């Protein structure tokens, strides 16, 4: 079961990120142009700066794991609410990455954030 999960995550996650990146680049010609004019040779590390920013912003908007769960290891408080040890907590990076408390214009595709 663990091996199947690793194999699935090792192919599905990068494939999804690539698809979302292509969609976002299709909608944002400025970034598509910046990426296509970048020198992505192994001799030019700076050329990967634009690619890295595009991929980071893509993963911010469309994280491979849109939600996951954790169990509290001890009693805690979250948002003023008591949480007992062993409680299952669901975390959604998808929602966190769209929260205006943490991101300016969170719905915008802006690789320059990175």
């Amino acid at each position: 079961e663990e091996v199947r999960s690793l194999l699935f995550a090792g192919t599905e996650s990068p494939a999804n990120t690539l698809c979302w990146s292509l969609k976002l680049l299709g909608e944002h010609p400025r970034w598509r142009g910046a990426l296509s004019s970048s020198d992505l040779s192994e001799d030019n590390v700076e050329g990967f700066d634009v690619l890295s920013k595009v991929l980071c912003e893509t993963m911010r908007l469309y994280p491979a794991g849109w939600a996951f769960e954790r169990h509290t290891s001890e009693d805690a408080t979250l948002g003023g609410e008591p949480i007992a040890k062993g409680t299952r907590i669901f975390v959604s990076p998808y929602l966190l990455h769209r929260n205006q408390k943490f991101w300016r214009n969170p719905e915008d595709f802006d690789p320059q954030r990175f």
Side-chain angles (χ1 to χ4, degrees):
E1 188 65 31
E2 292 295 321
V3 171
R4 187 178 315 139
S5 293
L6 287 172
L7 288 173
F8 180 73
T11 57
E12 187 73 14
S13 297
N16 284 337
T17 299
L18 178 60
C19 288
W20 284 117
S21 296
L22 294 173
K23 174 205 180 285
L24 291 167
L25 288 169
E27 295 173 347
H28 298 88
R30 174 178 164 247
W31 286 100
R32 185 175 61 243
L35 187 58
S36 67
S37 65
S38 295
D39 176 11
L40 297 177
S41 66
E42 65 181 272
D43 297 332
N44 183 19
V45 176
E46 292 81 25
F48 287 92
D49 185 51
V50 174
L51 177 60
S52 176
K53 289 178 180 187
V54 166
L55 290 175
C56 284
E57 182 69 347
T58 298
M59 290 185 289
R60 182 189 71 81
L61 287 170
Y62 300 103
W66 63 271
F68 56 89
E69 72 175 56
R70 294 289 185 261
H71 291 87
T72 56
S73 59
E74 58 187 46
D75 290 343
T77 303
L78 182 62
E81 296 294 321
I83 308 291
K85 178 181 178 178
T87 300
R88 186 185 327 181
I89 303 291
F90 286 91
V91 178
S92 174
Y94 182 89
L95 295 176
L96 286 172
H97 295 170
R98 286 169 165 70
N99 189 322
Q100 287 188 319
K101 285 172 52 177
F102 306 113
W103 301 95
R104 185 174 20 93
N105 302 319
E107 296 292 332
D108 292 351
F109 176 69
D110 181 13
Q112 204 56 44
R113 296 177 206 271
F114 297 96

